[in-house]
């Protein structure tokens, strides 16, 4: 073999090796990021186990305010408003003040039409349960019947072994499906009347036109104060695997939700709606090979009326969004995937405080039983 042929063979081999190396690097670079194996020396936040968690820091930088249109998209039926990026701060677990006492669960004249039903004789709980209608809705509105327990003198859903003589039937005035209308009111009357006939009770129904008008007014108030905010976090370069998203979210307190592709930040008390929701593609979450399942973006959202203001949900959303972007090499975007400029969130926080005050003034405080029923 001549010197020229040998040189060409060596050069060809080097070029082939470079091509293979480049293809390997590109494949690794574009593959979805995977979750790291757990380290027994580290706690759930990824920090040394002896590290003491710092407190919540609310010191946030002020910047250019949002336009009113960007925040005041509160009418039901619109897409959730996209929040904006803040200056980087560490997302921390914060202590939550104790919740104030609220109105009791069950029917409430503030958001329900209530019709008293007085039975001729004492009615057992078993008989009352047997007389209940098969469905608990009148149209799109929740419907309920309560009895005044003879022993405890408390209103409750009829229960076996108890005795009642006074009952009340109720239907919700409004929810996110709209206001109670005449057809739904008529269905409510029919259901309540059938129950009354079964237990030999005399119902006293309020005026339909007045109640429908009250429903429209409540629905208008709810529509003006129904805020749902959301971030989109998009990968800058390599996509994320579901395990990678779950691992980073778990460090900030998220746990698996009831549906695939849904993680939630639990409230401080059991039984309450989650503070925040982090969602990604359901098909990616159900893929056979989760390490190869690619996620390009996730959505971090807050349903404002469903969460008690004592949880400081908006401040936590801001910090968690920044922490996830930093930890996962992501960029904060609006609902259409357009990157958001760095600007302060203080104007939105101010508007939200006003919203909370208005809900409090209507006895529909965010996160309360009545607010959760109304904004559902």
């Amino acid at each position: 073999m001549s010197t020229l042929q040998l040189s060409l063979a060596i050069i060809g081999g080097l070029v082939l090796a470079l091509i293979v190396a480049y293809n390997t690097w590109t494949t690794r670079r574009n593959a979805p990021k995977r979750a790291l194996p757990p380290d027994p020396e580290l706690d759930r936040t990824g920090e040394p186990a002896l590290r003491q968690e710092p407190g919540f820091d609310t010191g946030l930088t002020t910047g250019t305010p949002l336009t009113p249109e960007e925040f005041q998209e509160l009418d039901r039926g619109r897409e959730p408003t996209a929040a904006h990026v803040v200056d980087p701060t560490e997302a921390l677990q914060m202590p939550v003040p104790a919740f104030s006492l609220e109105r009791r669960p069950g029917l409430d004249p503030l958001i329900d039409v209530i019709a008293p039903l007085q039975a001729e004789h004492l009615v057992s709980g078993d008989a009352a349960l047997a007389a209940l209608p098969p469905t608990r809705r009148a149209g799109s509105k929740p419907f309920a019947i309560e009895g005044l327990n003879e022993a405890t003198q408390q209103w409750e859903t009829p229960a076996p072994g108890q005795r009642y003589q006074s009952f009340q039937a109720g239907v919700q005035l409004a929810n996110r499906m709209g206001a109670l209308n005449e057809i739904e009111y008529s269905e409510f009357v029919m259901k309540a009347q059938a129950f009354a006939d079964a237990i030999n009770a005399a119902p006293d129904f309020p005026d339909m036109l007045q109640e429908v008008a009250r429903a429209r007014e409540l629905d208008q108030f709810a529509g003006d104060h129904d805020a749902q905010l959301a971030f989109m976090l998009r990968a800058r370069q390599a996509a994320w695997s579901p395990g990678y998203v779950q691992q980073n979210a778990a460090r900030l307190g998220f746990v698996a939700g009831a549906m695939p592709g849904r993680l939630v930040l639990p409230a401080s008390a059991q039984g309450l709606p989650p503070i925040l929701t982090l969602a990604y593609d359901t098909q990616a979450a159900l893929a056979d090979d989760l390490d190869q399942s690619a996620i390009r973006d996730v959505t971090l959202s807050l349903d404002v009326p469903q969460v008690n203001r004592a949880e400081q949900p908006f401040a936590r959303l801001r910090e968690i969004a920044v922490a996830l972007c930093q930890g996962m090499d992501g960029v904060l975007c609006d609902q259409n995937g357009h990157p958001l400029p760095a600007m302060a969130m203080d104007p939105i926080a101010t508007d939200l405080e006003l919203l909370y005050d208005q809900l409090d003034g209507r006895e529909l405080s965010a996160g309360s039983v009545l607010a959760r029923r109304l904004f559902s």
Side-chain angles (χ1 to χ4, degrees):
M1 180 180 294
S2 66
T3 302
L4 177 60
Q5 290 175 323
L6 182 61
S7 299
L8 291 175
I10 294 174
I11 293 173
L14 291 174
V15 170
L16 181 60
L18 288 174
I19 292 174
V20 172
Y22 176 78
N23 288 336
T24 302
W25 175 80
T26 302
T27 300
R28 291 176 59 87
R29 181 173 180 271
N30 293 330
K33 294 182 179 179
R34 301 181 182 182
L36 297 176
D39 189 334
E41 297 298 324
L42 301 180
D43 66 8
R44 64 190 299 273
T45 65
E47 299 292 343
L50 296 179
R51 178 177 180 267
Q52 183 177 0
E53 290 295 331
F56 177 70
D57 180 14
T58 57
L60 298 170
T61 309
T62 302
T64 306
L66 298 176
T67 63
E69 291 78 8
E70 289 179 292
F71 174 70
Q72 294 296 336
E73 293 181 12
L74 306 181
D75 292 339
R76 286 167 290 178
R78 295 191 181 185
E79 290 296 320
T81 303
H84 292 254
V85 69
V86 295
D87 293 334
T89 57
E90 183 181 6
L92 308 174
Q93 299 294 324
M94 63 181 179
V96 178
F99 294 166
S100 60
L101 294 177
E102 61 173 334
R103 303 166 76 106
R104 72 168 186 86
L107 295 175
D108 193 299
L110 191 63
I111 67 168
D112 293 304
V113 178
I114 298 179
L117 294 83
Q118 189 66 29
E120 295 182 1
H121 306 286
L122 284 174
V123 179
S124 69
D126 299 88
L129 288 171
L132 289 176
T135 61
R136 300 294 187 268
R137 302 191 78 82
S140 63
K141 307 300 181 292
F143 166 86
I145 290 179
E146 295 180 338
L148 184 64
N149 190 303
E150 285 290 307
T152 65
Q153 290 298 298
Q154 297 292 322
W155 289 104
E156 65 185 20
T157 301
Q162 303 301 316
R163 292 157 64 89
Y164 311 90
Q165 188 165 4
S166 297
F167 293 86
Q168 58 184 11
V171 64
Q172 195 163 309
L173 287 165
N175 57 14
R176 280 176 171 161
M177 299 296 291
L180 180 77
N181 57 41
E182 290 85 350
I183 296 176
E184 291 172 327
Y185 187 90
S186 298
E187 185 177 343
F188 157 66
V189 170
M190 293 175 59
K191 289 178 179 290
Q193 184 65 62
F195 174 80
D197 293 341
I199 63 169
N200 294 320
D204 182 13
F205 295 106
D207 182 75
M208 180 181 70
L209 295 181
Q210 291 182 1
E211 295 303 311
V212 168
R214 195 159 69 97
R216 290 171 180 164
E217 188 276 332
L218 179 62
D219 182 61
Q220 180 63 51
F221 173 84
D224 293 339
H225 297 81
D226 192 359
Q228 300 176 70
L229 307 178
F231 287 110
M232 176 183 287
L233 281 64
R234 193 180 66 189
R236 289 183 183 274
Q237 296 181 358
W240 308 314
S241 68
Y244 184 79
V245 173
Q246 293 168 9
Q247 186 176 68
N248 280 272
R251 290 170 179 160
L252 300 173
F254 283 83
V255 298
M259 300 176 59
R262 188 172 184 267
L263 305 172
V264 296
L265 183 66
S268 58
Q270 291 185 353
L272 296 178
I275 299 173
L276 302 174
T277 299
L278 190 149
Y280 55 90
D281 183 35
T282 303
Q283 292 184 348
L286 295 174
D288 294 334
D289 188 352
L290 294 180
D291 286 338
Q292 297 301 319
S293 183
I295 299 171
R296 299 296 311 180
D297 57 72
V298 299
T299 300
L300 183 65
S301 59
L302 162 65
D303 193 340
V304 176
Q306 291 284 328
V307 183
N308 194 295
R309 71 191 300 181
E311 300 275 13
Q312 301 188 39
F314 184 63
R316 298 173 81 172
L317 183 148
R318 295 168 64 176
E319 295 188 343
I320 286 174
V322 171
L324 288 175
C325 284
Q326 291 178 338
M328 298 166 58
D329 189 23
V331 58
L332 202 61
C333 301
D334 62 19
Q335 288 289 296
N336 297 318
H338 301 139
L340 294 172
M343 61 176 63
M345 305 293 283
D346 289 338
I348 293 182
T350 300
D351 287 338
L352 280 180
E353 289 302 314
L354 176 61
L355 177 66
Y356 285 132
D357 291 339
Q358 292 170 341
L359 290 173
D360 291 343
R362 190 67 182 257
E363 297 186 72
L364 292 167
S365 300
S368 67
V369 171
L370 295 187
R372 298 201 304 270
R373 287 179 56 200
L374 178 62
F375 296 96
S376 64

